[in-house]
């Protein structure tokens, strides 16, 4: 008897078909691609058998990516673009002017770097790296990719995430989702141990530092808090050794050195640092373009030099733990990520700080790509059920401008994402047909103290009396941390929306500064908010009086009564120009007192008008 195979609608009849999906760790220094093959997540090698590709692109006669490009760094520094991740989603003003590249002064918000192949944006450079990784994966896996999970630092803001997504699109990759690097690392470890508890992910790469506090509960990761420094990484340790080498050779400044010599010295310092991870003492014999340095450097010397940078990193850890609302003692595991955590001094100091050993069993260079590959495998549908639900948090609150230049928070900081929240607002004036939606980021109460992300207008609101229209404003932050804001008038259904793509991003320092400012100014903010609210109320009362007087002031009021109301209104207007909250409040109360009879008469009048031509019996 023949056995017929059947399938539910939408379910594949070929259950073993595996969709090729990869995880990509697009790093500042190096990038990797990984995939789950036969149930095991592993990084994929290129034709030369290398798993780690330098994040370097050389623009010469042709465009070279990775190791081939890196080889040309000394010879042709201005056309060899490295550490380009630092410029992603940044404006030209934000770009690090100390870098060796020539920026096109005419570039508007996105910086353009001048190369032999014309000027290029950081997005285009990143796209070249991603394209090379895509080819590397397709060559190894033997087919086209269904999609990719690309990782980004936890502190990347909207602009930086969008820039990364755009780069992937240019590279021909279908992005299944962007994933925070620390979260990816936790997935790599979470697979092995299904334990519950709090995990700190300490990620010290080539150019950036991220620390995240995660809670693992029944296989679900929740990011409790994140902190970091987008300008702290292995490069800074290299610089310490570079300065030491210069000092030992009696050179007080790098100003006298050519770009090529400086580049060669940086390479020397980096390899010296890596050797010091294995040896107690290393001999330096450097000679380049007339500069010669012969000396010995000990691990002890290096450890002492590193002290300041490590103190900085541990201070950031302390802040992340505080933000997570837990104690140091509540932490069960510390996951080490990034090539720089190979430095013994880093492992020791972190372990001392947390008073427990740190996790290093997965290669710290590969752990992020491996976690991303596991996530890509789930998202591509290769797992029977989506086992992993990942939650990240917003670094700063998102709000909307309300009357009086105040900010109403819609989603508070540290809310887990993806998230959607809505709030209802109304019109301020009679007959108001448009409303400006001003999207803001930050912790302060006043618009001027927050960061403006976007503005758009909802038009076509049906004309109604003030306060009658219902406008729902919805903030939706997707799994990649991108914000979508929509506004809808509920009676007519008219709608407007915007995807927020700020023209340049916030550095981690700016985030810290904004948070500090909000804490320092709590008292001032409360006072300022209540004064502004009083001023808005005054304005509302004035508008209401004006429109009532214009409509029926002459018919319902005697001259004397009208005079009193006009005087109270004038008094309110005058007091609302000054900054005394109590006086404004009194003036509002006076207006209400003198117009109480008038309000009652108007109500009677309205009822009479509404009932005209009807019989009282109809209303019983
Ligand atoms: P990543 O951005 O994670 O690829 O990290 C690269 C950084 O790790 C560079 O600054 C490297 O110099 C550093 N690194 C790699 N291996 C070692 C090592 N054995 N000792 C010290 N630093 C290392």
């Amino acid at each position: 008897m023949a056995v017929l195979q059947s399938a539910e609608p939408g379910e594949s009849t070929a259950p073993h078909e595996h969709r090729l999906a990869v995880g990509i760790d697009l790093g500042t220094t190096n990038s990797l691609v990984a995939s789950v093959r036969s149930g095991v997540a592993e990084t994929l090698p290129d034709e030369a058998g290398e798993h780690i590709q330098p994040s370097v692109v050389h623009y010469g006669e042709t465009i070279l990516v990775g190791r081939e490009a890196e080889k040309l760094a000394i010879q042709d520094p201005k056309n060899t673009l490295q550490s380009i991740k630092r410029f992603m989603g940044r404006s030209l003003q934000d770009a690090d002017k100390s870098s060796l590249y020539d920026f096109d002064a005419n570039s508007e918000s996105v910086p353009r770097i001048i190369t032999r192949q014309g000027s290029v944006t950081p997005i285009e450079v990143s796209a070249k790296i991603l394209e090379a990784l895509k080819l590397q994966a397709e060559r190894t896996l033997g087919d086209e990719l269904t999609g990719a999970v690309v990782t980004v630092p936890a502190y990347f803001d909207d602009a930086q995430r969008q820039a990364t997504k755009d780069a992937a699109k240019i590279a021909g990759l279908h992005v299944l989702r962007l994933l925070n690097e620390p979260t990816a690392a936790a997935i790599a470890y979470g697979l092995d141990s299904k334990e519950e508890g709090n995990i700190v992910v300490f990620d010290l790469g080539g150019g950036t530092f991220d620390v995240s506090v995660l809670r693992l509960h029944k296989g679900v990761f929740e990011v409790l808090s994140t902190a970091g420094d987008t300008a702290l990484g292995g490069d800074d340790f290299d610089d310490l050794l570079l300065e030491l080498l210069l000092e030992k050779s009696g050179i007080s400044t790098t100003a006298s050195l050519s770009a090529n010599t400086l580049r060669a010295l940086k390479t020397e310092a980096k390899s010296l640092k890596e050797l010091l991870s294995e040896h107690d003492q290393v001999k330096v014999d450097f000679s380049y373009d007339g500069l010669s340095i012969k000396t010995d450097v000990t691990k002890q010397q290096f450890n002492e030099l590193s002290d300041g940078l490590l103190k900085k990193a541990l201070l950031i850890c302390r802040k992340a733990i505080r933000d997570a609302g837990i104690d140091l003692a509540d932490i069960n595991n510390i996951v080490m990520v990034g090539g720089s955590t190979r430095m013994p001094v880093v492992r020791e100091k972190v372990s001392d700080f947390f008073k427990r050993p740190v996790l290093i069993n997965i290669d710290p260079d590969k752990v992020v790509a491996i976690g991303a590959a596991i996530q890509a495998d789930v998202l591509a549908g290769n797992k029977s059920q989506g086992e992993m639900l990942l939650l990240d948090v917003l670094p700063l609150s998102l709000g909307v401008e309300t009357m009086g230049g105040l900010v109403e928070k819609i989603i508070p900081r540290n809310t887990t994402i993806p998230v959607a929240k809505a709030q209802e607002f109304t019109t301020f004036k009679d007959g108001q047909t448009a409303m400006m939606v001003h999207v803001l980021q930050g912790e302060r109460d006043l618009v001027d103290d927050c960061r403006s992300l976007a503005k758009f207008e909802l038009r076509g609101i049906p004309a109604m009396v003030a306060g009658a229209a219902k406008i729902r404003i919805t903030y939706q932050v997707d799994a990649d941390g991108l914000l979508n804001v929509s506004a809808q008038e509920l009676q007519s259904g008219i709608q407007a929306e915007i995807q927020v793509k700020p023209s340049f991003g916030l550095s981690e320092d700016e985030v810290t500064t904004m948070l500090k400012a909000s804490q320092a100014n709590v008292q001032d903010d409360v006072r300022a908010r209540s004064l502004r609210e009083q001023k808005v109320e005054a304005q509302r009362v004035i508008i209401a009086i004006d429109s009532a007087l214009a409509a029926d002031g002459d018919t319902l009021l005697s001259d004397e009564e009208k005079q009193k109301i006009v005087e109270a209104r004038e008094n309110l207007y005058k007091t609302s120009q000054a900054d005394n909250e109590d006086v404004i409040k009194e003036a509002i109360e006076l207006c209400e007192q003198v117009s109480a009879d008038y309000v009652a008469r108007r109500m009677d009048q309205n009822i009479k008008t509404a009932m005209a031509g009807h019989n009282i019996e109809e209303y019983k």
Side-chain angles (χ1 to χ4, degrees), residues 29-30 205-206 234-235 270 273-274 277-278 338-340 342-343 365:
T29 321
N30 294 311
D235 299 347
K270 183 175 171 183
K273 173 191 72 179
E274 292 175 8
S277 291
E278 310 296 325
S340 298
R342 287 211 180 81
M343 285 185 272
D365 280 324

Side-chain angles (χ1 to χ4, degrees), residues 517-576:
S518 80
Q519 282 150 13
N521 294 292
V522 169
Q523 298 254 311
D524 287 352
D525 276 9
V526 169
R527 267 196 298 276
R529 173 177 275 274
S530 116
L531 174 65
R532 292 233 184 171
E533 278 170 353
Q534 221 45 259
K535 286 192 175 190
V536 171
E537 181 59 11
Q539 209 183 330
R540 196 190 60 73
V541 170
I542 290 168
I543 292 173
I545 292 177
D546 288 350
S547 89
L549 288 179
D552 48 30
D554 292 338
T555 50
L556 295 180
L557 294 169
S558 68
D559 284 352
E560 197 187 335
E561 285 167 330
K562 191 173 166 191
Q563 179 65 18
K564 266 192 183 159
I565 296 174
V566 169
E567 274 169 18
R569 181 236 185 252
E570 286 307 306
N571 173 52
L572 176 58
Y573 177 76
K574 252 187 249 144
T575 54
S576 69

Side-chain angles (χ1 to χ4, degrees), residues 348-404:
E348 279 159 29
K349 288 274 160 74
V350 176
S351 174
D352 286 353
F353 177 79
F354 288 102
K355 299 187 179 61
R356 59 175 60 244
V358 292
L359 288 177
I360 42 170
N361 6 340
I362 303 180
D363 183 332
D365 280 324
K366 295 181 176 172
V367 62
V368 168
I370 285 173
I374 295 167
Q375 175 76 352
D377 196 44
V378 173
L379 292 176
N382 293 327
K383 283 264 162 33
S384 49
Q385 72 255 23
E387 291 140 33
M388 251 177 299
L389 174 64
L390 294 176
L391 303 169
D392 293 334
V393 293
L394 282 183
L396 289 169
S397 302
L398 294 168
V400 70
E401 175 170 352
T402 58
M403 287 304 295

